[in-house]
C-alpha cells in the first residue's frame, strides 16, 4: 500500500515510491498491502531484490527488516554522528499472514484453550489492573454477528486454538525484533534524544479470517472460505504459521484482541475498528515516565508532532509543488502536561460505508456492514446511527441516540461537512467491484488484449499484468531447450496459495493451475522437446457462466496439439497479495508442487512470452502464435 498499484512495475513512474517522491533516502521492504513473511517480494529502493536465504536456512522477513534497519542506523551514526536520522520501520507483523517460527508459537500452547470470551474477560481485568484503560470503563457486549466460543463446533476448536497460539507467538516475535532495534539506538548513545513512536495494531484487529479462521487468507478474497472445513484446517495444524501457510485467525479472536471495544478492522464506525495502542518515548523531551494521555490523537498527528519536536516548519512547497495543508495537529503540547487542552477536536472515519465522526469527546457512529457476512446491504440512508459520550464512556458501551436526538443530528451534519471537505463523498460501499480495475475505474498499466513479457522479467504484481481471470486466454512462449532436455519454469504467476505456471518437467511441457491451494489441476504434454528453439502454448477456453468457473486447458508444442485437460474451477479475484509473475522462474513460494522454491529456473532460455485474451466464447481474436512472432521480431 506504499505505491499506486498501476505504478508498481519496473517502468514506474517512481515519484510515489518511498525513495522517489516519498521523501526517503533509503527503502527496504515490500510495497504490497501485506507480505509473505517467509517468501516476501522485496525491494531495495525501487529495485527488486531477493531474500538473502531461504526459510529452511532460517529466513524470516521480520528479522531481515530489523537487520537492515539496524545496519542503516549504525551507518548513519558512524559516518555522520552529528546528523539526526529519521527511520520509519513498518514490518508486516502482525498483519496477516501470521507467520512465525514454530518454537515461538509453541510457547503459547494451551494458553487459549478457554476461548475468546474468556480471553476478553482476562484481558479486561488485566487492562484495569495495569491502568491502561479508565477504572470506570465498561466491557462492551459481544455483537450477535460474533459467535460465542461455546457455540463454535468442537471439531473446529483445535484449529481455532492453534490460530491464536500462532498469532501470539508472531506478536512476541515481532516485539523481540523491535527490541533489538531499540537496543541498537541505546548502544549508539541516541536513546535519550530520539523521539520514538511505537504504534501497535492494524486499525483494530483484522477479521478477514472469517468465522473459523483460515489456512489461506486469499480464500476470503476469492469467496472460498467455505472450503476451509474443520477437517481441512485440522490436517494442517502443524503447518499453521509456517512457509506453506498464508493464515489468519477467526473473527472471535480479532474481537477479543480489541477488548474492551466493539467490532474489528473494517468496521471503522466503532473504536474496535480504528483504535491502536501507542507508546511515545523521548527521555530528553518528556519528563513524565509511564503516564497516560487521554487527549484525542490520530495517526495524521504524528508528522506534525515530529516537525514541531525537530523545530522544522511545515513545508509550503516540495520540489516546486505547492502542498495541501497537513490535516493533523501536533501532540507535543501534551507530552509534559497531562491536562493540556485537546487540539484535535474533530475527526471523521469511513471504510466501505461504515462511518463515524468524533467531535470534542462525542462520537456518532453507524455500522453499515459486517465484513464477514455476505448479505445485501441496506441503503446508506437507512443505516441506524448510535451516539456515545466518550468523555465519560471510554469504550462506547452506552448508546445515547434515543436520549439525545438533537446531539446526534448535530454530529451527523458534521460528518457530512467533514466527508465533503475530505472528498469522502460520494460514499461507495462496494468491495469486490473496487478490487477489479474494470469496475472500479482505477488506472491500469496494461490495456488491450495482449501483453508481451521478455525473458527475465519478474516481480510483476497482478495490477501490472493483463488480467486473465474469468476469461479465455492464451499463454505463448518462445523457448530454447538446451542439450540434455528442458526443465524448469517458463512463466508463473502467483504462489502456493493460488496461481498458475507453465513449465517443463522431464523434458515435457506441463501446466499447473493452483486453485487457492485446495487443488492443483495438471495438464501434461506428450512430446519430449528436442534441443533447440520451440514455441509452446497453453490455450484456456473459459466455460463462462459467472466468476471463478472452470474451463479446458490445451497444450501445443510448435503449433501441434500436445495435451489437454479440464480445469474444474478458477480463482475469481486474486492469486496472491504480493507474489507476482516471473518469466523463466517462479519467485517466492512455488505455484506447483512439481518444483521447489528458489530452485526452479528454466535451464534453457525463455526469449519471450505473449499473453492474449479471447472472446467470452473461447475463440481467440488474436492468433497467439503470430502475435509472439511479431513481438519477438521487434526485440
Amino acid at each position: 500500500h506504499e505505491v499506486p498499484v498501476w505504478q508498481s512495475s519496473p517502468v514506474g513512474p517512481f515519484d510515489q515510491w518511498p525513495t522517489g517522491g516519498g521523501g526517503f533516502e533509503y527503502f527496504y521492504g515490500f510495497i504490497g498491502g501485506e507480505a509473505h513473511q517467509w517468501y516476501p517480494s522485496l525491494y531495495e529502493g525501487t529495485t527488486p531484490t531477493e531474500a538473502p536465504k531461504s526459510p529452511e536456512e532460517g529466513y524470516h522477513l521480520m528479522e531481515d527488516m530489523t537487520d537492515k534497519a539496524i545496519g542503516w542506523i549504525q551507518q548513519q551514526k558512524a559516518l555522520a554522528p552529528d546528523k539526526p536520522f529519521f527511520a520509519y520501520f513498518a514490518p508486516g507483523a502482525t498483519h496477516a499472514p501470521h507467520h512465525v517460527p514454530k518454537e515461538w508459537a509453541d510457547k503459547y500452547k494451551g494458553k487459549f484453550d478457554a476461548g475468546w470470551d474468556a480471553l476478553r474477560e482476562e484481558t479486561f481485568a488485566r487492562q484495569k489492573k495495569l491502568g491502561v484503560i479508565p477504572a470506570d470503563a465498561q466491557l462492551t457486549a459481544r455483537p450477535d454477528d460474533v459467535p460465542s466460543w461455546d457455540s463454535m463446533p468442537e471439531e473446529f476448536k483445535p484449529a481455532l486454538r492453534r490460530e491464536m497460539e500462532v498469532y501470539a507467538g508472531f506478536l512476541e516475535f515481532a516485539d523481540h525484533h523491535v527490541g533489538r532495534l531499540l537496543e541498537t539506538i541505546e548502544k549508539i548513545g541516541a536513546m535519550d534524544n530520539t523521539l520514538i513512536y511505537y504504534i501497535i495494531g492494524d486499525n483494530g484487529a483484522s477479521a478477514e479470517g472469517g468465522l473459523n479462521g483460515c489456512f489461506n487468507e486469499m480464500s476470503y478474497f476469492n469467496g472460498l472460505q467455505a472450503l476451509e472445513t474443520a477437517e481441512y484446517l485440522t490436517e494442517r495444524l502443524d503447518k499453521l504459521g509456517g512457509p506453506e501457510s498464508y493464515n489468519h485467525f477467526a473473527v472471535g479472536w480479532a474481537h477479543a484482541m480489541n477488548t474492551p471495544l466493539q467490532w474489528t478492522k473494517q468496521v471503522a464506525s466503532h473504536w474496535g475498528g480504528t483504535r491502536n495502542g501507542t507508546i511515545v518515548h523521548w527521555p530528553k523531551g518528556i519528563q513524565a515516565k509511564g503516564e497516560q494521555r487521554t487527549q484525542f490523537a490520530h495517526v495524521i498527528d504524528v508528522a506534525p508532532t515530529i516537525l514541531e519536536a525537530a523545530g522544522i516548519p511545515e513545508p509550503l512547497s516540495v520540489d516546486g509543488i505547492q502542498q495541501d495543508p497537513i490535516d493533523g495537529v501536533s501532540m507535543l503540547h501534551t507530552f509534559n502536561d497531562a491536562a493540556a487542552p485537546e487540539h484535535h477536536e474533530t475527526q471523521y472515519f469511513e471504510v466501505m460505508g461504515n462511518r463515524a465522526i468524533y467531535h470534542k469527546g462525542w462520537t456518532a457512529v453507524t455500522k453499515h456492514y459486517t465484513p464477514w457476512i455476505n448479505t445485501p446491504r441496506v441503503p446508506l440512508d437507512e443505516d441506524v446511527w448510535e451516539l456515545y459520550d466518550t468523555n465519560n464512556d471510554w469504550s462506547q458501551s452506552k448508546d445515547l441516540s434515543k436520549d439525545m436526538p438533537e446531539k446526534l443530528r448535530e454530529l451527523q451534519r458534521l460528518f457530512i461537512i467533514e466527508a465533503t471537505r475530505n472528498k469522502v463523498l460520494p460514499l461507495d460501499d462496494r468491495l469486490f467491484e473496487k478490487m477489479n480495475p474494470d469496475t472500479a475505474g482505477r488506472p491500469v498499466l496494461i490495456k488491450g488484449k495482449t501483453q508481451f513479457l521478455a525473458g527475465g522479467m519478474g516481480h510483476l504484481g497482478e495490477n501490472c499484468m493483463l488480467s486473465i481471470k474469468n476469461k479465455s486466454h492464451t499463454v505463448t512462449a518462445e523457448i530454447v531447450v538446451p542439450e540434455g532436455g528442458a526443465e524448469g519454469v517458463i512463466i508463473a504467476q502467483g504462489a502456493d496459495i493460488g496461481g498458475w505456471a507453465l513449465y517443463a518437467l522431464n523434458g515435457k511441457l506441463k501446466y499447473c493451475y493452483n486453485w487457492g491451494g485446495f487443488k492443483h489441476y495438471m495438464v501434461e504434454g506428450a512430446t519430449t522437446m528436442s534441443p533447440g528453439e520451440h514455441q509452446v502454448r497453453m490455450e484456456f477456453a473459459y466455460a463462462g457462466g459467472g466468476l471463478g468457473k472452470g474451463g479446458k486447458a490445451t497444450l501445443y508444442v510448435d503449433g501441434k496439439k500436445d495435451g489437454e485437460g479440464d480445469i474444474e474451477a478458477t480463482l475469481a479475484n486474486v492469486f496472491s497479495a504480493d507474489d507476482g509473475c516471473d518469466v523463466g522462474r517462479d519467485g517466492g513460494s512455488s505455484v506447483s508442487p512439481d518444483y521447489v522454491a528458489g530452485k526452479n529456473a528454466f535451464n534453457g532460455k525463455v526469449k519471450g512470452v505473449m499473453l492474449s485474451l479471447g472472446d467470452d466464447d473461447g475463440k481467440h481474436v488474436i492468433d497467439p502464435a503470430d502475435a509472439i512472432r511479431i513481438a519477438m521480431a521487434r526485440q
Side-chain angles (χ1 to χ4, degrees), residues 240-257:
L240 210 65
E244 295 178 54
S245 68
Y246 204 86
N247 51 303
H248 202 312
F249 59 20
V251 163
W253 295 124
H255 183 236
M257 291 297 95

Side-chain angles (χ1 to χ4, degrees), residues 64 80 93 125 182 348 403 414 420 492 503 553 569 623:
D64 184 20
L182 299 182
Y348 82 94
D403 302 325
L414 185 57
T420 302
Y503 53 101
D623 185 320

